Amino acid sequence: MALAITPFTALFSFLPLAQIATYLANVPGLSVLVPCAVLEKFSGVVPTDSNAPAAKQALRDVFSAVMTPPTDAYTTQLAMLIECYEASAVHAEEESVRELVLGRNTQFPDDIGMFCTFLLGVKLSSGEVIFLGAEEPHAYISANIIECMANSDNVIRAGLTPKLRDIPNLLGTLTYRSACFAPCGLHASVLPCQTIQPRRNLGCCSPSRCAFSSTCL
């Protein structure tokens, strides 16, 4: 569980399939990393239930293709993407992620995780909290947060890090659920803090289906 103290940006679980499809259609170099048959299959499941087995498999195929191209292929496409973004040559749909991509490329140049920007993502306002269950991808990008988590020694990394990566293991672990991060989300929810003792100005943050809560001033 992460409670945003300041405005919070993260690559957090998979975006809705329709939004991913829009990025695949518009982002320079992204679709080049994905075989045509995989793109066609993914396009066919976009209008369907995103939690259906066929949709999850199609999303897995896209994510796997994006995360495992030959090094020369993705570095070439990433260089083209950065050049376009530095020149502000973007579609309207990309404007919200352009600065995010440029900033992360400065921190992690030539990192395959840069393309995850178009598959994952969420932004929180100060005071909002989000819960992420096991086997869901995430990377905190920028914010001051309070994080509550269980003891764990099984973090699997795939990108945007100088640490050891295990992409094949990650690809086989994820649930491949996609969400819109609304308060009614089934597996990930964004909720405002609820005041439990107004006279002491205390609040309790406890998102749905979450074993954690945080009491804060």
Side-chain angles (χ1 to χ4, degrees):
M1 182 184 82
L3 166 63
I5 306 302
T6 59
F8 176 49
T9 299
L11 302 182
F12 183 100
S13 200
F14 288 99
L15 295 168
L17 301 185
Q19 188 170 354
I20 294 175
T22 298
Y23 284 141
L24 285 168
N26 293 303
V27 174
L30 180 60
S31 64
V32 176
L33 303 178
V34 184
C36 292
V38 173
L39 287 173
E40 184 177 354
K41 180 180 176 182
F42 182 77
S43 298
V45 302
V46 169
T48 66
D49 178 5
S50 63
N51 288 315
K56 289 184 178 182
Q57 183 61 54
L59 178 57
R60 175 174 179 164
D61 292 343
V62 168
F63 187 61
S64 298
V66 169
M67 294 301 294
T68 58
T71 300
D72 58 343
Y74 84 74
T75 53
T76 298
Q77 299 306 322
L78 180 57
M80 293 174 57
L81 175 65
I82 296 302
E83 183 178 353
C84 288
Y85 279 11
E86 288 178 339
S88 298
V90 298
H91 292 85
E93 297 85 356
E94 302 168 70
E95 191 59 48
S96 62
V97 297
R98 185 176 73 89
E99 291 300 327
L100 177 59
V101 170
L102 292 176
R104 297 293 71 73
N105 188 63
T106 299
Q107 187 176 5
F108 301 105
D110 295 332
D111 194 301
I112 188 59
M114 213 69 59
F115 287 105
C116 290
T117 307
F118 307 106
L119 303 176
L120 315 166
V122 68
K123 292 185 178 182
L124 303 184
S125 299
S126 300
E128 288 186 317
V129 60
I130 194 162
F131 170 70
L132 180 66
E135 301 175 347
E136 301 289 354
H138 69 284
Y140 299 151
I141 300 300
S142 63
N144 292 320
I145 66 171
I146 296 173
E147 184 180 31
C148 300
M149 62 181 294
N151 291 333
S152 173
D153 62 357
N154 61 349
V155 174
I156 305 173
R157 300 178 180 89
L160 300 181
T161 177
K163 299 180 181 179
L164 179 67
R165 308 181 189 198
D166 189 351
I167 294 177
N169 197 15
L170 178 76
L171 295 175
T173 300
L174 302 179
T175 65
Y176 296 98
R177 294 180 293 191
S178 63
C180 61
F181 307 106
C184 59
L186 295 177
H187 59 280
S189 57
V190 179
L191 301 173
C193 289
Q194 298 177 352
T195 301
I196 56 173
Q197 297 186 37
R199 57 193 176 92
R200 295 182 58 189
N201 200 31
L202 291 176
C204 178
C205 298
S206 183
S208 63
R209 302 195 176 204
C210 177
F212 303 102
S213 65
S214 175
T215 302
C216 53
L217 290 172

